[in-house]
Amino acid sequence: MTKIAFLSAEFRPLAKIGGLADVAEELPRALLRLGLDVRLFMPCYSHINLPELGAEAVAEIPVQRGDQTVQAVFYSANVYDIPTYFVDGPALQQAPEVYPGQPLEGERFLFFAIAVVNYFNQSGWVPDVMHANDWHTAASVPYLSALKEQQKGVEGWELQKTGTLLTIHNLPYMGVGSEPAVRAYRIPRVECDFLPDWAREIPLPMGISLADRINTVSPSYAKEIQTKEYGSGLDGLLSSRSDALSGILNGIDPASWDPAADTDLVVNFSRDHLEERVKGKQALLEETGLEPDVTIPLLGMVTRLDIQKGVDITLDALESMLEANDQPVSWKFILLGTGDFHLESRCADFSARYPDRIKAVLKYDAGLASRIYAGSDMILVPSRYEPCGLAQLIAMRYGAIPVVRATGGLKDSVPPYSSDGSGIGFLFEDLTADAFRDTLYRALDAYGDQGLWKSLQLRAMAADYSWKRSAEQYRDLYLRIVADRASS
Ligand code: ADP
């Protein structure tokens, strides 16, 4: 049975910040169903209640930091049917947050990455592929490479055959500020022609240079990051590795995201009972204090408030629509999000100025998120860049039509509606409020034809974005890595 070690800083719901947490729960489960021996390794944050999870200590593994030896304690439990290992140690106890900022992040994630590789070295469970995700776990790749170099020619050293895959979920977050930790944990600086000097001790670029294969979470994003515009200064390195770089679109778990069974909804519905959906819209309007007139189109947005997500463009586009007198139809807007302080205050201010049209809920609330997907007519995702994006996938499953920027995973997952009757969503190319506004007008116009709108909803809800297809592609990629290692 092929053995896969899946390394992630997030895991829903134990440590959920962004989409990585959803992937870390849903992909390993889909891979287990395909018959792979997948084990998940994550840091043991201080809020994780090990006794409640039934976790037991299984190993103490030494980690070298400078001249000191620090102990990593491994706890193991089956969490939501996934064999999971929690890695604890002093670096995890310094702050309660998942991401406490630098230099603590560098310390904890470097400690984690090294502890995990040392565990493989000592426990007898040697993965065929070590699958690192994002910068937080990427340092495991250069560390394993350095160990392989040290152990070259040593008979029977099992880790020599372990292959590596690094998945980039979000390129600009590359671990800048971790350089002192990289040095403290003695991971050698990576010397490679296409790696810029500034990036040689930063975890993600180090991992990109040395992983057997690299992938991103959509085919379009895999191409985009090889360009100057999206490459975050690493486009040269990524282009130099284009033979090893591919894209696999994320999925969603149809059982976790099911409007017919979602207990956070006031009213459940399905394709066969789409007429029930409007009751959820009414309840959502009441819950958020907007006038419960269900005939007016409702635009929704659920997002981290980050410049990446195009929240500023959304506010500009909607503001210009409110100011214009040529609105084809009225509409209302609900935003759920938290994050950047300036964006939060802009959203709060916008909502205060148009209290009967706009509602901004500035918090993290998974239940309300579900009700927004289920009750909005459209979900807006105007991202500057989008490695994959889950919001549009969940929206389609819940019968909300995506209005998205044609970039990365948004482009790969939302088939554009065309007047010949095909497609599902509304896409725009240019990163401007004007382009977004024009596309919103197009969507609002389509909403005016309720027969057409229903056909879009039915198509959206029937679209298959389950993990099975993505998991099969990951399995093929793992098998390719294993075959390449065997032949090298
Ligand atoms: P990213 O990972 O870049 O944040 P994704 O679209 O891939 O973006 O995933 C974000 C996930 O987090 C989605 O499932 C979205 O519904 C959820 N989410 C974002 N903000 C909130 C919030 N304030 N409350 C509840 N869920 C949220």
Side-chain angles (χ1 to χ4, degrees):
M1 202 191 276
T2 309
K3 290 182 283 195
I4 309 297
F6 192 94
L7 280 53
S8 174
E10 298 187 29
F11 181 39
R12 186 186 73 192
L14 298 181
K16 154 97 185 165
I17 306 294
L20 174 61
D22 303 272
V23 176
E25 195 228 335
E26 294 175 2
L27 176 57
R29 200 200 305 281
L31 291 165
L32 285 165
R33 270 190 230 117
L34 295 179
L36 301 179
D37 175 2
V38 182
R39 306 192 185 187
L40 181 108
F41 293 82
M42 69 175 289
C44 186
Y45 304 109
S46 57
H47 69 268
I48 292 176
N49 188 332
L50 295 170
E52 202 173 274
L53 295 167
E56 285 178 12
V58 289
E60 267 201 35
I61 302 288
V63 170
Q64 202 63 32
R65 187 191 184 285
D67 297 332
Q68 285 183 327
T69 304
V70 194
Q71 292 300 321
V73 185
F74 280 64
Y75 297 88
S76 156
N78 262 1
V79 184
Y80 320 117
D81 302 329
I82 301 168
T84 304
Y85 292 80
F86 300 95
V87 182
D88 200 4
L92 267 308
Q93 288 150 13
Q94 287 164 349
E97 302 90 352
V98 172
Y99 301 128
Q102 293 289 13
L104 295 183
E105 284 181 22
E107 276 295 327
R108 69 170 40 176
F109 293 127
L110 261 292
F111 168 79
F112 169 79
I114 291 171
V116 169
V117 175
N118 287 354
Y119 174 81
F120 303 148
N121 203 8
Q122 292 175 33
S123 68
W125 189 80
V126 177
D128 296 299
V129 177
M130 180 177 78
H131 181 174
N133 289 276
D134 271 350
W135 82 262
H136 329 105
T137 57
S140 59
V141 175
Y143 180 62
L144 178 58
S145 277
L147 279 189
K148 283 181 179 176
E149 200 51 45
Q150 268 174 24
Q151 301 289 325
K152 222 176 201 163
V154 176
E155 272 300 299
W157 190 69
E158 294 255 324
L159 236 59
Q160 203 63 261
K161 71 173 179 42
T162 294
T164 51
L165 172 65
L166 173 60
T167 300
I168 303 169
H169 298 260
N170 201 331
L171 180 65
Y173 295 90
M174 52 181 80
V176 173
S178 305
E179 298 89 326
V182 168
R183 287 192 284 271
Y185 285 95
R186 294 184 176 160
I187 301 186
R189 180 185 159 85
V190 173
E191 303 298 342
C192 148
D193 283 351
F194 295 94
L195 182 61
D197 204 44
W198 57 263
R200 294 184 175 210
E201 289 181 322
I202 297 178
L204 191 71
M206 294 170 92
I208 292 172
S209 306
L210 296 172
D212 291 331
R213 291 203 167 256
I214 312 142
N215 82 303
T216 68
V217 286
S218 68
S220 287
Y221 191 60
K223 289 198 196 99
E224 287 167 356
I225 59 176
Q226 297 179 52
T227 66
K228 252 200 165 39
E229 188 185 351
Y230 291 96
S232 299
L234 298 177
D235 37 294
L237 173 67
L238 287 157
S239 305
S240 77
R241 300 230 52 205
S242 63
D243 287 351
L245 170 59
S246 58
I248 300 177
L249 195 68
N250 281 339
I252 51 173
D253 177 2
S256 304
W257 299 107
D258 181 2
D262 189 332
T263 52
D264 285 316
L265 302 188
V266 180
V267 181
N268 290 109
F269 60 93
S270 62
R271 282 185 88 233
D272 296 335
H273 294 284
L274 193 53
E275 70 286 352
E276 292 294 299
R277 192 176 188 277
V278 71
K279 295 181 188 162
K281 179 175 177 180
Q282 173 149 4
L284 174 64
L285 290 166
E286 283 165 7
E287 176 180 354
T288 51
L290 292 169
E291 185 202 348
D293 179 348
V294 294
T295 63
I296 296 176
L298 180 60
L299 321 182
M301 193 160 178
V302 181
T303 184
R304 281 187 293 119
L305 293 182
D306 183 289
I307 192 73
Q308 177 202 338
K309 298 294 183 178
V311 184
D312 51 339
I313 294 164
T314 308
L315 300 187
D316 289 346
L318 295 180
E319 183 108 48
S320 79
M321 287 162 73
L322 288 167
E323 282 167 2
N325 293 321
D326 59 347
Q327 291 179 46
V329 268
S330 186
W331 47 269
K332 292 178 195 293
F333 175 60
I334 295 177
L335 176 140
L336 172 65
T338 175
D340 179 80
F341 170 77
H342 296 287
L343 287 173
E344 283 200 4
S345 55
R346 251 197 95 182
C347 291
D349 172 62
F350 193 39
S351 169
R353 280 190 291 123
Y354 301 97
D356 51 340
R357 301 284 297 269
I358 314 285
K359 184 74 194 181
V361 183
L362 302 175
K363 62 175 178 179
Y364 186 89
D365 185 337
L368 180 56
S370 279
R371 292 190 288 283
I372 292 175
Y373 289 119
S376 301
D377 298 299
M378 302 167 200
I379 289 291
L380 318 187
V381 196
S383 306
R384 285 189 158 70
Y385 69 94
E386 194 56 78
C388 175
L390 295 176
Q392 80 283 7
L393 303 182
I394 302 168
M396 286 190 275
R397 179 107 175 106
Y398 280 58
I401 302 304
V403 184
V404 306
R405 176 141 185 273
T407 184
L410 298 169
K411 184 157 99 183
D412 291 345
S413 61
V414 180
Y417 163 69
S418 127
S419 49
D420 67 12
S422 62
I424 293 173
F426 296 82
L427 287 84
F428 66 101
E429 295 273 347
D430 293 346
L431 186 63
T432 63
D434 285 357
F436 190 21
R437 185 199 53 212
D438 292 348
T439 304
L440 284 168
Y441 277 150
R442 242 173 11 97
L444 288 166
D445 196 38
Y447 180 85
D449 178 345
Q450 280 291 291
L452 163 67
W453 198 258
K454 189 175 171 199
S455 69
L456 292 183
Q457 289 180 301
L458 290 175
R459 227 175 284 147
M461 293 175 78
D464 180 8
Y465 292 105
S466 65
W467 270 108
K468 188 167 177 293
R469 190 183 40 174
S470 319
E472 284 168 354
Q473 291 176 40
Y474 274 101
R475 180 195 52 196
D476 294 348
L477 195 52
Y478 295 147
L479 295 179
R480 209 163 148 188
I481 292 169
V482 171
D484 287 350
R485 281 255 147 225
S487 65
S488 69

